[in-house]
Amino acid sequence: MSKETLPVESRIIPVKRLEEYWERSIEDPEGFWSEHARALQWFKTWDKVLDASNPPFYKWFVGGKINASYNALDVHIKTWRKNKVAYIWEGEPGDTRVITYYQLYKEVNRIAKILKNMGVKKGDRVTLYLPMIPELPMVMLACARIGAIHSVVFSGFSGESLASRINDSNSKILITADGAYRRGKIIPLKEWADKALKLTPSIESVIVVRRTGSKVNMVENRDYWLHELLAGIEPDTYVEPEPVESTHPLYILYTSGTTGKPKGVEHSTGGYLAWVYWTLKWAFDPREEDVWWCAADIGWVTGHSYIVYSPLMHGLTSIMYEGAPDYPHPDRWWSIIEKYGVTIIYTAPTAIRAFMRYGEEWVKKHDLSSLRILGSVGEPINPEAWNWYYKNVGGERCPIIDTWWQTETGGFMISPSAGVELAPLKPGSATFPLPGIDAEVVNDNGKRVEPGERGYLIIKKPWPGMLQTLWKDPERYVEVYYKKFPGFYYTGDYAMRDSDGYFWLLGRADEVLKVAAHRIGTTELESVLVSYPAVAEAAVAGKADPVKGEVPVAFVVLREGYSPLNSLREELVKYVRNQIGPIATPANIFFVDKLPKTRSGKIMRRLLKSVVSDQPLGDITTLEDEASVEEIKKAYDELKKELE
Ligand code: WT7
């Protein structure tokens, strides 16, 4: 499969030689980006493409004025796309909604009016805690329309996680739903939100979407049903889109890091929009007649960029699906592709691996011949999964666009292009950086490593979609991304280039886990564990998992007087789920007498990882900074013995 080339008819971007095109983008970023940003509608064009006077606080399209909702909606309703379908939504129970650009536009205007009536102003923060229902993109766009900054919290997070995100962003308004469907059950979302609301003094009003019809507790003069509010708004209500500065924050999205609480990644409006628009065009070559399905949750950046902003700016028809991939049967996704004639599907390797387990007969039941491109994101795709996806889902016709990027990068960074003549795909490699992206693989000293050698992935130049800062924490922004390799953006990922120059992403180099493509910080889990009365100390490591990529495993030292009982183990697992959310559920908790530590008291995390994944220790000379090789070996053997 390694010599797979892209279908000839899909090469529509007039790039003769990738290298030349790429080089120009790096040598003349201002020229390059001023050409591409013109695809968007600006109320005022920028005075300067890139202001690099105060690195690493780069500013894009400075002086420009723009509005995201206008670019996603208004631009289309002035054209024949007015009645084109924006979203085909399918609920988990099988109910559907088909929403045209015009209908979406009208709803967004009415919701924007509601927010305005509640006193929401430009720059105010609004937190959204919603399942995958059409109201989620509607409210995001309504916020963007009036210049409010949205902060979407994944609906799988607990009330506690929600509360800390609301408090960090100091949101005025919370928008949630009565419940959410998941695998045939109803998740009491409002109940979870009620827990958060006890801890969030900044919230003035709560808007509740009716989804499941569950009975909920509504607090007078604070909680309002969305449908009741809408009943008081004229159907043809128009709210002027607020022309915001290019650097005005469009949204905050919290993501896990190596230390402390989740970080509020702040994205701009102008640079971000230009980036998500252009990257989708580059990587997937979307066409008017495409039926695009990004099968992520809008609670993550993938959904923000490639379910909401970019596909709408392109005027595409998107599928939006509410439920679990295998509910009620393992062919739910394939039936959706067949039913709606999906032409591009974009998902994570963990989903592919789960489907592999169910067997290809579930795929074979369906006619998937409408597909023309497959996408992958969120974690490295192993060649077995790549080949299965290519053969069984894509019928050996569709290229696999493996896109490497992060919450912080806003959009795709390393990826093949479906529209450009380029090198053959190699299963497991995301191929090459996009134009505008100057990526390099370096060692600890910042020197480029040899082909075939593992190193850290860094980005050497700013790009339009980059995060602007961390919300209210510029010091942490500099510390996390620009300290390890001064002047360059540090991704936190390991990577390697092969002798053909292809990039291979090799997973996180830091204390961040990727569990089923979701990002979870080990320290986040540890601090929850030690907040439990019986726990003295805790350390978390990622254990390799054939479907999820990795799963968290915890090592716990109990306080004096507590016994390592199974009931306590179960109690702790439940506690973590309640404090963070189901995605953080430890796969196992080991009670140990002590944690392996260096002399300066640092937990030997990589040792823990090797032990739980049943891997040899590997190269330990660079493993831990202060412990001797003998000490590490001894700790490893002791721990292994203890776990047997
Ligand atoms: C981390 C970012 C990108 C949106 C969803 C995840 C890993 C992401 C790939 C890929 C190998 C990948 C990296 C990265 N990752 N895409 N195609 N190949 N690894 O966003 O939650 O911010 O996670 O996901 O480790 O750092 P995120």
Side-chain angles (χ1 to χ4, degrees), residues 98-129:
V98 176
I99 302 163
T100 65
Y101 274 89
Y102 187 51
Q103 289 167 333
L104 189 61
Y105 166 83
K106 286 179 64 162
E107 286 307 287
V108 167
N109 271 281
R110 294 173 77 211
I111 297 172
K113 181 78 180 166
I114 291 173
L115 295 176
K116 274 199 137 173
N117 288 348
M118 283 183 165
V120 179
K121 297 202 175 54
K122 180 184 170 194
D124 285 346
R125 276 79 59 206
V126 174
T127 295
L128 284 72
Y129 185 52

PDB file of all heavy atoms in Angstrom, residues 98-129:
ATOM      1  N   VAL A  98     -32.988  18.409   9.341  1.00  0.00           N
ATOM      2  CA  VAL A  98     -32.229  18.903   8.197  1.00  0.00           C
ATOM      3  C   VAL A  98     -32.315  20.422   8.240  1.00  0.00           C
ATOM      4  O   VAL A  98     -33.410  20.978   8.282  1.00  0.00           O
ATOM      5  CB  VAL A  98     -32.810  18.346   6.879  1.00  0.00           C
ATOM      6  CG1 VAL A  98     -32.075  18.937   5.680  1.00  0.00           C
ATOM      7  CG2 VAL A  98     -32.709  16.822   6.866  1.00  0.00           C
ATOM      8  N   ILE A  99     -31.170  21.078   8.301  1.00  0.00           N
ATOM      9  CA  ILE A  99     -31.150  22.525   8.517  1.00  0.00           C
ATOM     10  C   ILE A  99     -30.421  23.221   7.368  1.00  0.00           C
ATOM     11  O   ILE A  99     -29.243  22.939   7.107  1.00  0.00           O
ATOM     12  CB  ILE A  99     -30.453  22.847   9.863  1.00  0.00           C
ATOM     13  CG1 ILE A  99     -31.208  22.128  11.000  1.00  0.00           C
ATOM     14  CG2 ILE A  99     -30.405  24.348  10.129  1.00  0.00           C
ATOM     15  CD1 ILE A  99     -30.421  22.013  12.273  1.00  0.00           C
ATOM     16  N   THR A 100     -31.099  24.112   6.699  1.00  0.00           N
ATOM     17  CA  THR A 100     -30.463  24.829   5.593  1.00  0.00           C
ATOM     18  C   THR A 100     -29.669  26.017   6.137  1.00  0.00           C
ATOM     19  O   THR A 100     -29.829  26.418   7.294  1.00  0.00           O
ATOM     20  CB  THR A 100     -31.522  25.379   4.615  1.00  0.00           C
ATOM     21  OG1 THR A 100     -32.302  26.371   5.310  1.00  0.00           O
ATOM     22  CG2 THR A 100     -32.420  24.265   4.089  1.00  0.00           C
ATOM     23  N   TYR A 101     -28.866  26.592   5.264  1.00  0.00           N
ATOM     24  CA  TYR A 101     -28.104  27.774   5.679  1.00  0.00           C
ATOM     25  C   TYR A 101     -29.043  28.897   6.135  1.00  0.00           C
ATOM     26  O   TYR A 101     -28.784  29.571   7.126  1.00  0.00           O
ATOM     27  CB  TYR A 101     -27.166  28.238   4.553  1.00  0.00           C
ATOM     28  CG  TYR A 101     -25.857  27.490   4.619  1.00  0.00           C
ATOM     29  CD1 TYR A 101     -25.678  26.279   3.938  1.00  0.00           C
ATOM     30  CD2 TYR A 101     -24.817  27.952   5.419  1.00  0.00           C
ATOM     31  CE1 TYR A 101     -24.492  25.568   4.054  1.00  0.00           C
ATOM     32  CE2 TYR A 101     -23.625  27.252   5.535  1.00  0.00           C
ATOM     33  CZ  TYR A 101     -23.469  26.062   4.848  1.00  0.00           C
ATOM     34  OH  TYR A 101     -22.305  25.360   4.971  1.00  0.00           O
ATOM     35  N   TYR A 102     -30.145  29.055   5.425  1.00  0.00           N
ATOM     36  CA  TYR A 102     -31.070  30.128   5.786  1.00  0.00           C
ATOM     37  C   TYR A 102     -31.713  29.868   7.150  1.00  0.00           C
ATOM     38  O   TYR A 102     -31.834  30.771   7.980  1.00  0.00           O
ATOM     39  CB  TYR A 102     -32.139  30.269   4.695  1.00  0.00           C
ATOM     40  CG  TYR A 102     -33.040  31.466   4.896  1.00  0.00           C
ATOM     41  CD1 TYR A 102     -32.510  32.737   5.124  1.00  0.00           C
ATOM     42  CD2 TYR A 102     -34.428  31.326   4.843  1.00  0.00           C
ATOM     43  CE1 TYR A 102     -33.341  33.832   5.309  1.00  0.00           C
ATOM     44  CE2 TYR A 102     -35.262  32.422   5.026  1.00  0.00           C
ATOM     45  CZ  TYR A 102     -34.716  33.669   5.258  1.00  0.00           C
ATOM     46  OH  TYR A 102     -35.539  34.751   5.444  1.00  0.00           O
ATOM     47  N   GLN A 103     -32.110  28.608   7.376  1.00  0.00           N
ATOM     48  CA  GLN A 103     -32.713  28.277   8.670  1.00  0.00           C
ATOM     49  C   GLN A 103     -31.715  28.463   9.816  1.00  0.00           C
ATOM     50  O   GLN A 103     -32.047  28.981  10.880  1.00  0.00           O
ATOM     51  CB  GLN A 103     -33.238  26.831   8.655  1.00  0.00           C
ATOM     52  CG  GLN A 103     -34.465  26.673   7.791  1.00  0.00           C
ATOM     53  CD  GLN A 103     -34.802  25.214   7.516  1.00  0.00           C
ATOM     54  OE1 GLN A 103     -33.924  24.342   7.515  1.00  0.00           O
ATOM     55  NE2 GLN A 103     -36.071  24.952   7.273  1.00  0.00           N
ATOM     56  N   LEU A 104     -30.490  28.059   9.550  1.00  0.00           N
ATOM     57  CA  LEU A 104     -29.448  28.209  10.567  1.00  0.00           C
ATOM     58  C   LEU A 104     -29.228  29.698  10.873  1.00  0.00           C
ATOM     59  O   LEU A 104     -29.147  30.120  12.030  1.00  0.00           O
ATOM     60  CB  LEU A 104     -28.157  27.556  10.053  1.00  0.00           C
ATOM     61  CG  LEU A 104     -27.000  27.418  11.035  1.00  0.00           C
ATOM     62  CD1 LEU A 104     -27.373  26.565  12.231  1.00  0.00           C
ATOM     63  CD2 LEU A 104     -25.772  26.783  10.335  1.00  0.00           C
ATOM     64  N   TYR A 105     -29.166  30.465   9.818  1.00  0.00           N
ATOM     65  CA  TYR A 105     -28.987  31.919   9.922  1.00  0.00           C
ATOM     66  C   TYR A 105     -30.080  32.541  10.789  1.00  0.00           C
ATOM     67  O   TYR A 105     -29.823  33.349  11.677  1.00  0.00           O
ATOM     68  CB  TYR A 105     -28.995  32.480   8.500  1.00  0.00           C
ATOM     69  CG  TYR A 105     -29.156  33.967   8.370  1.00  0.00           C
ATOM     70  CD1 TYR A 105     -28.058  34.817   8.488  1.00  0.00           C
ATOM     71  CD2 TYR A 105     -30.411  34.521   8.089  1.00  0.00           C
ATOM     72  CE1 TYR A 105     -28.211  36.186   8.344  1.00  0.00           C
ATOM     73  CE2 TYR A 105     -30.561  35.889   7.944  1.00  0.00           C
ATOM     74  CZ  TYR A 105     -29.462  36.719   8.071  1.00  0.00           C
ATOM     75  OH  TYR A 105     -29.617  38.075   7.924  1.00  0.00           O
ATOM     76  N   LYS A 106     -31.321  32.127  10.525  1.00  0.00           N
ATOM     77  CA  LYS A 106     -32.442  32.703  11.272  1.00  0.00           C
ATOM     78  C   LYS A 106     -32.390  32.325  12.757  1.00  0.00           C
ATOM     79  O   LYS A 106     -32.594  33.172  13.628  1.00  0.00           O
ATOM     80  CB  LYS A 106     -33.765  32.266  10.645  1.00  0.00           C
ATOM     81  CG  LYS A 106     -33.993  33.010   9.336  1.00  0.00           C
ATOM     82  CD  LYS A 106     -35.255  32.648   8.610  1.00  0.00           C
ATOM     83  CE  LYS A 106     -36.532  32.989   9.340  1.00  0.00           C
ATOM     84  NZ  LYS A 106     -37.694  33.017   8.418  1.00  0.00           N
ATOM     85  N   GLU A 107     -32.082  31.069  13.027  1.00  0.00           N
ATOM     86  CA  GLU A 107     -31.997  30.637  14.432  1.00  0.00           C
ATOM     87  C   GLU A 107     -30.861  31.344  15.154  1.00  0.00           C
ATOM     88  O   GLU A 107     -30.991  31.745  16.305  1.00  0.00           O
ATOM     89  CB  GLU A 107     -31.795  29.118  14.527  1.00  0.00           C
ATOM     90  CG  GLU A 107     -33.032  28.302  14.203  1.00  0.00           C
ATOM     91  CD  GLU A 107     -34.240  28.737  15.025  1.00  0.00           C
ATOM     92  OE1 GLU A 107     -34.281  28.451  16.231  1.00  0.00           O
ATOM     93  OE2 GLU A 107     -35.133  29.378  14.441  1.00  0.00           O
ATOM     94  N   VAL A 108     -29.745  31.479  14.467  1.00  0.00           N
ATOM     95  CA  VAL A 108     -28.586  32.136  15.088  1.00  0.00           C
ATOM     96  C   VAL A 108     -28.916  33.591  15.416  1.00  0.00           C
ATOM     97  O   VAL A 108     -28.600  34.093  16.498  1.00  0.00           O
ATOM     98  CB  VAL A 108     -27.343  32.018  14.171  1.00  0.00           C
ATOM     99  CG1 VAL A 108     -26.226  32.948  14.632  1.00  0.00           C
ATOM    100  CG2 VAL A 108     -26.863  30.572  14.119  1.00  0.00           C
ATOM    101  N   ASN A 109     -29.594  34.257  14.521  1.00  0.00           N
ATOM    102  CA  ASN A 109     -29.997  35.642  14.789  1.00  0.00           C
ATOM    103  C   ASN A 109     -30.915  35.732  16.002  1.00  0.00           C
ATOM    104  O   ASN A 109     -30.771  36.622  16.846  1.00  0.00           O
ATOM    105  CB  ASN A 109     -30.692  36.237  13.558  1.00  0.00           C
ATOM    106  CG  ASN A 109     -29.689  36.873  12.622  1.00  0.00           C
ATOM    107  OD1 ASN A 109     -29.222  37.984  12.850  1.00  0.00           O
ATOM    108  ND2 ASN A 109     -29.315  36.151  11.580  1.00  0.00           N
ATOM    109  N   ARG A 110     -31.857  34.800  16.087  1.00  0.00           N
ATOM    110  CA  ARG A 110     -32.806  34.842  17.208  1.00  0.00           C
ATOM    111  C   ARG A 110     -32.096  34.538  18.538  1.00  0.00           C
ATOM    112  O   ARG A 110     -32.387  35.162  19.551  1.00  0.00           O
ATOM    113  CB  ARG A 110     -33.950  33.863  16.958  1.00  0.00           C
ATOM    114  CG  ARG A 110     -34.804  34.282  15.757  1.00  0.00           C
ATOM    115  CD  ARG A 110     -35.823  33.220  15.417  1.00  0.00           C
ATOM    116  NE  ARG A 110     -36.952  33.231  16.335  1.00  0.00           N
ATOM    117  CZ  ARG A 110     -37.651  32.150  16.665  1.00  0.00           C
ATOM    118  NH1 ARG A 110     -37.306  30.960  16.185  1.00  0.00           N
ATOM    119  NH2 ARG A 110     -38.668  32.242  17.488  1.00  0.00           N
ATOM    120  N   ILE A 111     -31.186  33.587  18.511  1.00  0.00           N
ATOM    121  CA  ILE A 111     -30.465  33.276  19.758  1.00  0.00           C
ATOM    122  C   ILE A 111     -29.544  34.441  20.129  1.00  0.00           C
ATOM    123  O   ILE A 111     -29.397  34.799  21.307  1.00  0.00           O
ATOM    124  CB  ILE A 111     -29.709  31.933  19.643  1.00  0.00           C
ATOM    125  CG1 ILE A 111     -30.717  30.788  19.435  1.00  0.00           C
ATOM    126  CG2 ILE A 111     -28.865  31.672  20.892  1.00  0.00           C
ATOM    127  CD1 ILE A 111     -30.111  29.440  19.109  1.00  0.00           C
ATOM    128  N   ALA A 112     -28.959  35.058  19.125  1.00  0.00           N
ATOM    129  CA  ALA A 112     -28.105  36.223  19.391  1.00  0.00           C
ATOM    130  C   ALA A 112     -28.915  37.314  20.088  1.00  0.00           C
ATOM    131  O   ALA A 112     -28.437  37.981  21.013  1.00  0.00           O
ATOM    132  CB  ALA A 112     -27.513  36.749  18.081  1.00  0.00           C
ATOM    133  N   LYS A 113     -30.161  37.454  19.649  1.00  0.00           N
ATOM    134  CA  LYS A 113     -31.051  38.460  20.247  1.00  0.00           C
ATOM    135  C   LYS A 113     -31.316  38.119  21.726  1.00  0.00           C
ATOM    136  O   LYS A 113     -31.286  39.001  22.596  1.00  0.00           O
ATOM    137  CB  LYS A 113     -32.359  38.482  19.454  1.00  0.00           C
ATOM    138  CG  LYS A 113     -33.357  39.483  19.933  1.00  0.00           C
ATOM    139  CD  LYS A 113     -32.989  40.870  19.455  1.00  0.00           C
ATOM    140  CE  LYS A 113     -34.025  41.872  19.956  1.00  0.00           C
ATOM    141  NZ  LYS A 113     -33.542  43.224  19.807  1.00  0.00           N
ATOM    142  N   ILE A 114     -31.539  36.834  21.986  1.00  0.00           N
ATOM    143  CA  ILE A 114     -31.771  36.399  23.372  1.00  0.00           C
ATOM    144  C   ILE A 114     -30.559  36.741  24.245  1.00  0.00           C
ATOM    145  O   ILE A 114     -30.685  37.280  25.340  1.00  0.00           O
ATOM    146  CB  ILE A 114     -32.068  34.881  23.429  1.00  0.00           C
ATOM    147  CG1 ILE A 114     -33.432  34.590  22.804  1.00  0.00           C
ATOM    148  CG2 ILE A 114     -31.987  34.350  24.852  1.00  0.00           C
ATOM    149  CD1 ILE A 114     -33.749  33.112  22.652  1.00  0.00           C
ATOM    150  N   LEU A 115     -29.387  36.444  23.727  1.00  0.00           N
ATOM    151  CA  LEU A 115     -28.170  36.725  24.495  1.00  0.00           C
ATOM    152  C   LEU A 115     -28.039  38.232  24.752  1.00  0.00           C
ATOM    153  O   LEU A 115     -27.694  38.665  25.853  1.00  0.00           O
ATOM    154  CB  LEU A 115     -26.936  36.189  23.767  1.00  0.00           C
ATOM    155  CG  LEU A 115     -26.850  34.664  23.614  1.00  0.00           C
ATOM    156  CD1 LEU A 115     -25.623  34.278  22.778  1.00  0.00           C
ATOM    157  CD2 LEU A 115     -26.769  33.973  24.980  1.00  0.00           C
ATOM    158  N   LYS A 116     -28.317  39.000  23.713  1.00  0.00           N
ATOM    159  CA  LYS A 116     -28.246  40.468  23.877  1.00  0.00           C
ATOM    160  C   LYS A 116     -29.229  40.934  24.940  1.00  0.00           C
ATOM    161  O   LYS A 116     -28.887  41.761  25.794  1.00  0.00           O
ATOM    162  CB  LYS A 116     -28.597  41.150  22.549  1.00  0.00           C
ATOM    163  CG  LYS A 116     -27.403  41.298  21.636  1.00  0.00           C
ATOM    164  CD  LYS A 116     -27.667  42.352  20.582  1.00  0.00           C
ATOM    165  CE  LYS A 116     -26.429  43.204  20.430  1.00  0.00           C
ATOM    166  NZ  LYS A 116     -26.479  44.147  19.340  1.00  0.00           N
ATOM    167  N   ASN A 117     -30.445  40.379  24.870  1.00  0.00           N
ATOM    168  CA  ASN A 117     -31.465  40.755  25.865  1.00  0.00           C
ATOM    169  C   ASN A 117     -31.023  40.414  27.281  1.00  0.00           C
ATOM    170  O   ASN A 117     -31.437  41.048  28.243  1.00  0.00           O
ATOM    171  CB  ASN A 117     -32.795  40.048  25.574  1.00  0.00           C
ATOM    172  CG  ASN A 117     -33.482  40.609  24.342  1.00  0.00           C
ATOM    173  OD1 ASN A 117     -33.091  41.661  23.818  1.00  0.00           O
ATOM    174  ND2 ASN A 117     -34.492  39.907  23.851  1.00  0.00           N
ATOM    175  N   MET A 118     -30.193  39.395  27.404  1.00  0.00           N
ATOM    176  CA  MET A 118     -29.699  39.010  28.731  1.00  0.00           C
ATOM    177  C   MET A 118     -28.513  39.858  29.158  1.00  0.00           C
ATOM    178  O   MET A 118     -27.910  39.625  30.206  1.00  0.00           O
ATOM    179  CB  MET A 118     -29.285  37.542  28.732  1.00  0.00           C
ATOM    180  CG  MET A 118     -30.474  36.615  28.801  1.00  0.00           C
ATOM    181  SD  MET A 118     -29.928  34.909  28.886  1.00  0.00           S
ATOM    182  CE  MET A 118     -31.475  34.159  29.419  1.00  0.00           C
ATOM    183  N   GLY A 119     -28.124  40.759  28.305  1.00  0.00           N
ATOM    184  CA  GLY A 119     -27.052  41.679  28.661  1.00  0.00           C
ATOM    185  C   GLY A 119     -25.661  41.217  28.244  1.00  0.00           C
ATOM    186  O   GLY A 119     -24.655  41.766  28.698  1.00  0.00           O
ATOM    187  N   VAL A 120     -25.591  40.208  27.377  1.00  0.00           N
ATOM    188  CA  VAL A 120     -24.274  39.737  26.936  1.00  0.00           C
ATOM    189  C   VAL A 120     -23.679  40.744  25.952  1.00  0.00           C
ATOM    190  O   VAL A 120     -24.346  41.161  25.000  1.00  0.00           O
ATOM    191  CB  VAL A 120     -24.366  38.343  26.267  1.00  0.00           C
ATOM    192  CG1 VAL A 120     -22.994  37.882  25.799  1.00  0.00           C
ATOM    193  CG2 VAL A 120     -24.977  37.334  27.229  1.00  0.00           C
ATOM    194  N   LYS A 121     -22.441  41.119  26.214  1.00  0.00           N
ATOM    195  CA  LYS A 121     -21.785  42.126  25.373  1.00  0.00           C
ATOM    196  C   LYS A 121     -20.513  41.562  24.758  1.00  0.00           C
ATOM    197  O   LYS A 121     -20.028  40.512  25.174  1.00  0.00           O
ATOM    198  CB  LYS A 121     -21.423  43.341  26.228  1.00  0.00           C
ATOM    199  CG  LYS A 121     -22.637  44.016  26.796  1.00  0.00           C
ATOM    200  CD  LYS A 121     -22.347  45.463  27.170  1.00  0.00           C
ATOM    201  CE  LYS A 121     -23.625  46.138  27.610  1.00  0.00           C
ATOM    202  NZ  LYS A 121     -24.322  45.387  28.696  1.00  0.00           N
ATOM    203  N   LYS A 122     -19.987  42.299  23.818  1.00  0.00           N
ATOM    204  CA  LYS A 122     -18.730  41.923  23.181  1.00  0.00           C
ATOM    205  C   LYS A 122     -17.669  41.640  24.258  1.00  0.00           C
ATOM    206  O   LYS A 122     -17.498  42.444  25.173  1.00  0.00           O
ATOM    207  CB  LYS A 122     -18.265  43.067  22.274  1.00  0.00           C
ATOM    208  CG  LYS A 122     -16.960  42.779  21.571  1.00  0.00           C
ATOM    209  CD  LYS A 122     -16.499  43.979  20.757  1.00  0.00           C
ATOM    210  CE  LYS A 122     -15.087  43.741  20.265  1.00  0.00           C
ATOM    211  NZ  LYS A 122     -14.448  44.942  19.758  1.00  0.00           N
ATOM    212  N   GLY A 123     -16.999  40.512  24.129  1.00  0.00           N
ATOM    213  CA  GLY A 123     -15.930  40.172  25.074  1.00  0.00           C
ATOM    214  C   GLY A 123     -16.406  39.379  26.282  1.00  0.00           C
ATOM    215  O   GLY A 123     -15.598  38.772  26.977  1.00  0.00           O
ATOM    216  N   ASP A 124     -17.721  39.355  26.531  1.00  0.00           N
ATOM    217  CA  ASP A 124     -18.232  38.544  27.645  1.00  0.00           C
ATOM    218  C   ASP A 124     -18.058  37.064  27.316  1.00  0.00           C
ATOM    219  O   ASP A 124     -18.113  36.675  26.159  1.00  0.00           O
ATOM    220  CB  ASP A 124     -19.730  38.804  27.872  1.00  0.00           C
ATOM    221  CG  ASP A 124     -19.981  40.139  28.547  1.00  0.00           C
ATOM    222  OD1 ASP A 124     -19.017  40.726  29.071  1.00  0.00           O
ATOM    223  OD2 ASP A 124     -21.148  40.588  28.546  1.00  0.00           O
ATOM    224  N   ARG A 125     -17.907  36.247  28.367  1.00  0.00           N
ATOM    225  CA  ARG A 125     -17.763  34.811  28.148  1.00  0.00           C
ATOM    226  C   ARG A 125     -19.074  34.077  28.403  1.00  0.00           C
ATOM    227  O   ARG A 125     -19.806  34.396  29.347  1.00  0.00           O
ATOM    228  CB  ARG A 125     -16.669  34.209  29.034  1.00  0.00           C
ATOM    229  CG  ARG A 125     -15.289  34.349  28.437  1.00  0.00           C
ATOM    230  CD  ARG A 125     -14.703  35.718  28.622  1.00  0.00           C
ATOM    231  NE  ARG A 125     -14.595  36.066  30.021  1.00  0.00           N
ATOM    232  CZ  ARG A 125     -14.600  37.298  30.487  1.00  0.00           C
ATOM    233  NH1 ARG A 125     -14.682  38.323  29.654  1.00  0.00           N
ATOM    234  NH2 ARG A 125     -14.509  37.540  31.768  1.00  0.00           N
ATOM    235  N   VAL A 126     -19.337  33.113  27.527  1.00  0.00           N
ATOM    236  CA  VAL A 126     -20.539  32.294  27.619  1.00  0.00           C
ATOM    237  C   VAL A 126     -20.092  30.837  27.594  1.00  0.00           C
ATOM    238  O   VAL A 126     -19.351  30.443  26.693  1.00  0.00           O
ATOM    239  CB  VAL A 126     -21.467  32.586  26.413  1.00  0.00           C
ATOM    240  CG1 VAL A 126     -22.663  31.647  26.399  1.00  0.00           C
ATOM    241  CG2 VAL A 126     -21.924  34.050  26.417  1.00  0.00           C
ATOM    242  N   THR A 127     -20.498  30.059  28.604  1.00  0.00           N
ATOM    243  CA  THR A 127     -20.090  28.649  28.628  1.00  0.00           C
ATOM    244  C   THR A 127     -21.203  27.771  28.078  1.00  0.00           C
ATOM    245  O   THR A 127     -22.377  27.953  28.403  1.00  0.00           O
ATOM    246  CB  THR A 127     -19.720  28.212  30.057  1.00  0.00           C
ATOM    247  OG1 THR A 127     -18.562  28.947  30.483  1.00  0.00           O
ATOM    248  CG2 THR A 127     -19.393  26.719  30.108  1.00  0.00           C
ATOM    249  N   LEU A 128     -20.826  26.840  27.222  1.00  0.00           N
ATOM    250  CA  LEU A 128     -21.779  25.910  26.617  1.00  0.00           C
ATOM    251  C   LEU A 128     -21.469  24.506  27.097  1.00  0.00           C
ATOM    252  O   LEU A 128     -20.312  24.069  27.033  1.00  0.00           O
ATOM    253  CB  LEU A 128     -21.678  25.952  25.079  1.00  0.00           C
ATOM    254  CG  LEU A 128     -22.309  27.146  24.365  1.00  0.00           C
ATOM    255  CD1 LEU A 128     -21.502  28.403  24.591  1.00  0.00           C
ATOM    256  CD2 LEU A 128     -22.405  26.866  22.877  1.00  0.00           C
ATOM    257  N   TYR A 129     -22.498  23.844  27.572  1.00  0.00           N
ATOM    258  CA  TYR A 129     -22.342  22.476  28.093  1.00  0.00           C
ATOM    259  C   TYR A 129     -23.495  21.696  27.490  1.00  0.00           C
ATOM    260  O   TYR A 129     -24.544  21.536  28.089  1.00  0.00           O
ATOM    261  CB  TYR A 129     -22.435  22.565  29.613  1.00  0.00           C
ATOM    262  CG  TYR A 129     -22.180  21.310  30.407  1.00  0.00           C
ATOM    263  CD1 TYR A 129     -21.033  20.536  30.219  1.00  0.00           C
ATOM    264  CD2 TYR A 129     -23.083  20.916  31.403  1.00  0.00           C
ATOM    265  CE1 TYR A 129     -20.807  19.413  30.996  1.00  0.00           C
ATOM    266  CE2 TYR A 129     -22.847  19.803  32.190  1.00  0.00           C
ATOM    267  CZ  TYR A 129     -21.706  19.049  31.975  1.00  0.00           C
ATOM    268  OH  TYR A 129     -21.475  17.945  32.754  1.00  0.00           O
TER     269      TYR A 129
END
